[in-house]
Amino acid sequence: MEQVLMPTVLNGKRFDFSDAEIIEPVSEVNVLKRTKHFIEANTVDVTLEQLQNDCITPVFAKDNELTISHPLFIRTVEEAAKDFFRGEEVESPVIRASHIIKGRIPSAIYKPANQLLETDKTQYFERCAFSVDIPTIYQDINGNRLFLSVVGVRAYNQQNLYSKKVPELFRVAIGFKNTVCCNMCIFTDGYKGELRVSSTRELYQRVMELFSMFNPAKQIHLMQQLCNSSLSEHQFCQILGRMRLYQYLPMRLQRNIPRLLITDTQINNVAKSYISDEDFGSYGTDINMWNFYNLLTGANKSSYIDMFLDRSLNASEIAMGINRALHGEERYKWFID
């Protein structure tokens, strides 16, 4: 069966996928398991309606100016995706939230907690992440179907709400989601980690700029290359050992090594999944770099929302860097020496 990556023309801009190498025909493609989430950690499913109707919007304390709320953030990015990818199927946002902040309305300040009514309580989520999937733009890699997805992250804990209103911090990424496991594949040209804006109009413009700069053919090509390289079990264990060692190196030594954001707990999850994961585990045999990459992105799903996209990008950097080191490049060679 011929692999398809569609479309080639979006919003007047041509995306040429001819440079993407096709690895092999795939007779059957795994479909999305709806029970899996693009991020897990301590997050919960919420709907846009719950965020709009059940949650207050925080303000900047010194001038009582409103922040851009989670629902406004989500709707703005969703609108940008629909406008840029006009004619494609753009699904409704899937939203995950964490770190609920509870409060009371002024008239209930002195009530005992056991006498509070629901109408006396206020709440909002400190951190929110969402994905907007575009399933009509897809590619198959190593038997896995990937489709385009836009991800947004907002974390109020990284915003000084005790000051006057200043440009607010958002993180937005566009990349491919592996439908087998809902792992996100984020690359540099598809990620804005320091997107600071003062209005939804400015946010919309910056998101559209990100979409324009994103090169899907390049990302697909780089991910396909991972299928051509493998790690022996010895090399895999060597890499995990080096990753554990990295956390304890003096800063002067860490500066000479490419950054590693994955935590010890996540490294343990990579080791566990190498043995037990039905889709990407390879215990007893060589593991190709595509499966190794998915072990990293799978472990990253345990990250808190505020670090999720940074670690997603770092997982791509590590996988691509080690793949190049296997072919003689020096920069990431420390991990496999």
Side-chain angles (χ1 to χ4, degrees):
M1 182 178 71
E2 182 182 358
Q3 291 183 315
V4 181
L5 186 56
M6 301 177 63
T8 56
V9 178
L10 299 174
N11 200 34
K13 178 178 179 180
R14 181 174 180 81
F15 289 135
D16 184 3
F17 293 98
S18 58
D19 291 337
E21 176 190 358
I22 303 301
I23 298 302
E24 60 182 10
V26 182
S27 58
E28 183 177 355
V29 176
N30 292 312
V31 297
L32 176 63
K33 299 175 183 178
R34 291 292 179 185
T35 56
K36 295 186 177 181
H37 306 290
F38 72 98
I39 184 173
E40 294 166 351
N42 62 336
T43 60
V44 294
D45 273 313
V46 294
T47 66
L48 200 56
E49 290 71 25
Q50 287 174 314
L51 291 177
Q52 289 173 329
N53 301 328
D54 300 338
C55 296
I56 63 170
T57 301
V59 299
F60 288 93
K62 286 194 175 180
D63 53 14
N64 208 33
E65 289 283 347
L66 283 172
T67 60
I68 297 173
S69 66
H70 293 328
L72 275 176
F73 174 37
I74 296 167
R75 286 203 181 280
T76 300
V77 175
E78 181 185 16
E79 180 184 352
K82 288 180 176 178
D83 288 346
F84 191 87
F85 298 103
R86 189 166 293 142
E88 299 305 316
E89 179 186 348
V90 179
E91 295 187 346
S92 299
V94 175
I95 306 168
R96 307 283 292 176
S98 71
H99 294 78
I100 191 168
I101 307 296
K102 297 182 178 180
R104 303 182 181 193
I105 63 174
S107 60
I109 288 177
Y110 299 107
K111 278 189 177 183
N114 61 2
Q115 295 179 18
L116 287 173
L117 305 174
E118 287 303 312
T119 53
D120 295 331
K121 303 174 185 177
T122 66
Q123 66 177 31
Y124 70 90
F125 288 99
E126 182 183 73
R127 306 174 199 185
C128 178
F130 67 92
S131 68
V132 176
D133 297 333
I134 308 167
T136 49
I137 303 176
Y138 63 89
Q139 174 70 26
D140 301 334
I141 297 180
N142 205 41
N144 304 156
R145 174 147 293 180
L146 286 78
F147 53 59
L148 200 62
S149 186
V150 178
V151 181
V153 163
R154 177 72 186 281
Y156 282 121
N157 62 304
Q158 296 177 332
Q159 186 78 52
N160 183 7
L161 296 180
Y162 299 100
S163 68
K164 294 182 179 180
K165 185 174 177 64
V166 295
E168 301 174 49
L169 175 64
F170 299 89
R171 290 183 170 88
V172 180
I174 180 170
F176 285 88
K177 177 185 289 185
N178 191 337
T179 59
V180 171
C181 49
C182 290
N183 293 356
M184 285 302 307
C185 307
I186 302 299
F187 285 65
T188 305
D189 66 345
Y191 180 39
K192 283 287 186 183
E194 287 285 333
L195 207 166
R196 295 185 182 273
V197 298
S198 299
S199 67
T200 54
R201 182 177 180 179
E202 187 181 357
L203 175 62
Y204 175 91
Q205 292 172 340
R206 299 287 295 278
V207 172
M208 292 291 275
E209 290 171 4
L210 173 64
F211 293 165
S212 297
M213 292 186 297
F214 176 60
N215 186 342
K218 179 181 178 181
Q219 180 173 345
I220 287 293
H221 179 69
L222 289 172
M223 291 190 294
Q224 286 175 326
Q225 286 184 329
L226 295 177
C227 300
N228 298 327
S229 303
S230 296
L231 297 169
S232 67
E233 185 173 298
H234 176 79
Q235 287 174 315
F236 176 80
C237 294
Q238 171 78 17
I239 290 168
L240 292 194
R242 288 287 193 175
M243 286 180 169
R244 292 293 298 269
L245 183 64
Y246 178 92
Q247 315 293 334
Y248 303 101
L249 291 176
M251 286 303 299
R252 62 182 177 82
L253 295 180
Q254 281 192 16
R255 282 193 291 268
N256 297 322
I257 302 169
R259 68 171 186 164
L260 178 70
L261 300 182
I262 188 171
T263 66
D264 277 354
T265 299
Q266 290 167 342
I267 294 169
N268 291 340
N269 288 339
V270 170
K272 179 180 177 181
S273 296
Y274 172 71
I275 294 173
S276 60
D277 190 278
E278 295 179 358
D279 299 308
F280 305 111
S282 300
Y283 180 62
T285 63
D286 291 352
I287 179 171
N288 70 39
M289 286 299 298
W290 171 251
N291 288 350
F292 175 73
Y293 177 45
N294 277 278
L295 294 184
L296 293 181
T297 54
N300 178 54
K301 289 160 70 173
S302 66
S303 294
Y304 280 176
I305 284 174
D306 55 343
M307 285 298 297
F308 174 69
L309 286 178
D310 284 338
R311 287 188 180 139
S312 293
L313 174 62
N314 187 237
S316 298
E317 293 171 339
I318 292 295
M320 299 301 161
I322 290 175
N323 188 51
R324 292 192 299 271
L326 291 173
H327 297 279
E329 187 174 301
E330 292 292 327
R331 187 159 185 262
Y332 281 81
K333 199 173 179 183
W334 180 84
F335 288 97
I336 60 174
D337 275 348

